[in-house]
Amino acid sequence: MTTRTVDRTQELATFLRSRRERLDPHDFGLPRRRQSRRTPGLRREEVAELAGISTDYIVRLEQARGLRPSVAVLEALAGAMRLAPDERDYLFDLAQQRPRTAGRPATSATASLSGLVDDLSPLPVMLLNHRYDILTWNVEMARLLVDFDTLPPSELNLVRLCLLHPEISRSYPDREKVLRDGIANLRTAWAAHPDDPQLNDLIVEFIADVEDFARLWADPEVRSQGRGRKVMHHPQVGTISLDFEMLIPMQDPDQRLLIFRAADDEGRAALERLLPR
């Protein structure tokens, strides 16, 4: 039986091509004559000139012909295409040119982090690993999302729940944005952990079986979103606006604390009604 994997070389090709095509020639002082530009963005030779590398090299990268660019080439490409910091990190991860974190991914919470999750009550809090597996949670998070104790261990993954759990999937009025953000975060984690077979298998499964995931994965959006706002509709208390923070412990950098706070007085009142009595 053959194990399917996400093709890193093809993902690098797709990412480079997508970032080249989104560039506006006008921003680089180049003409925007439609009749002379059959494709959007910059031409390969223009990026090659900006980066100081050969056009043939960029062609081979975009055709996924097995190259592994050096740090110097990656720096040149990142600068030429004006990549954002998250995108630059993703590029280096795809090319396996960024230092890796030692050790295996956590599958359970340490006692100190588990205690911290409880101590942060009454704020809803959960602890995730880099695969977005849910390692532990407090009762407020369970009241907000779902009773995690009723789920089999194989379903305790935040991306899986947002994609497939009916109750959670229906709770987001803007489900498309929630999924797009989550998949962008998962893509970043995948590139940073190329030797994690479970993460690879998770993505392969979603691409094959979940239409929304496959559609959004095809758009190589990259993001490490550590702060933002989500709007949820809870069956008991109605619509809640929540601010979230994603914090990474210094001694456990492959784990992250997801903390929700009410974004307004109405949200604060709604969360208070969800507290255990």
Side-chain angles (χ1 to χ4, degrees):
M1 181 172 136
T2 302
T3 300
R4 295 178 58 197
T5 61
V6 185
D7 189 333
R8 186 172 299 274
T9 303
Q10 185 60 57
E11 292 291 336
L12 175 61
T14 301
F15 180 69
L16 288 173
R17 188 166 54 251
S18 71
R19 291 314 181 259
R20 174 175 62 81
E21 291 176 349
R22 77 177 183 179
L23 296 173
D24 188 338
H26 183 71
D27 293 339
F28 296 84
L30 299 170
R32 286 191 291 181
R33 295 190 293 271
R34 290 185 179 179
Q35 64 273 22
S36 63
R37 291 187 178 272
R38 291 175 294 178
T39 58
L42 297 189
R43 299 188 181 97
R44 288 166 174 158
E45 58 267 27
E46 291 167 338
V47 171
E49 183 176 355
L50 289 168
I53 58 181
S54 72
T55 302
D56 179 65
Y57 195 87
I58 288 184
V59 170
R60 285 186 287 158
L61 282 173
E62 289 193 4
Q63 291 178 348
R65 286 158 60 182
L67 299 179
R68 185 181 176 187
S70 67
V71 170
V73 168
L74 295 172
E75 291 283 11
L77 287 170
M81 293 190 289
R82 302 181 180 179
L83 298 185
D86 286 348
E87 295 172 325
R88 180 188 177 280
D89 289 345
Y90 180 65
L91 175 66
F92 273 71
D93 285 335
L94 282 176
Q96 300 183 50
Q97 293 287 13
R98 200 154 66 108
R100 305 294 173 193
T101 302
R104 294 183 177 182
T107 57
S108 60
T110 63
S112 60
L113 288 176
S114 183
L116 180 58
V117 169
D118 289 334
D119 289 344
L120 286 170
S121 293
L123 297 176
V125 183
M126 66 169 61
L127 181 69
L128 311 165
N129 65 11
H130 69 260
R131 291 192 292 256
Y132 291 84
D133 294 333
I134 303 169
L135 305 182
T136 192
W137 58 89
N138 61 14
V139 66
E140 288 82 7
M141 185 63 85
R143 289 287 185 96
L144 178 66
L145 293 181
V146 68
D147 185 354
F148 299 105
D149 285 321
T150 65
L151 302 177
S154 61
E155 292 186 17
L156 289 176
N157 176 276
L158 190 57
V159 178
R160 181 183 295 280
L161 292 175
C162 288
L163 283 167
L164 299 175
H165 192 281
E167 186 177 328
I168 294 178
S169 180
R170 289 194 301 265
S171 69
Y172 293 107
D174 191 356
R175 181 173 180 269
E176 177 81 6
K177 182 180 185 305
V178 171
L179 290 183
R180 186 175 293 278
D181 290 345
I183 292 169
N185 286 326
L186 192 67
R187 180 189 296 277
T188 302
W190 165 76
H193 298 85
D195 300 321
D196 183 350
Q198 286 182 258
L199 180 55
N200 175 82
D201 291 348
L202 187 73
I203 293 170
V204 167
E205 175 195 342
F206 288 160
I207 291 174
D209 298 339
V210 185
E211 183 179 347
D212 285 338
F213 187 94
R215 172 175 56 84
L216 293 172
W217 183 268
D219 179 11
E221 192 168 340
V222 181
R223 188 175 304 114
S224 295
Q225 191 177 27
R227 177 180 294 134
R229 178 167 295 183
K230 293 186 185 297
V231 177
M232 300 181 61
H233 183 80
H234 194 279
Q236 295 178 26
V237 296
T239 300
I240 314 174
S241 292
L242 299 163
D243 290 331
F244 71 87
E245 294 278 347
M246 190 84 81
L247 306 180
I248 298 178
M250 290 183 65
Q251 288 189 256
D252 299 285
D254 276 346
Q255 298 178 50
R256 57 227 45 205
L257 282 163
L258 176 59
I259 306 170
F260 283 114
R261 295 180 300 157
D264 49 34
D265 290 341
E266 291 81 2
R268 198 161 8 262
L271 284 181
E272 288 176 359
R273 294 199 298 274
L274 284 175
L275 294 181
R277 302 196 182 275

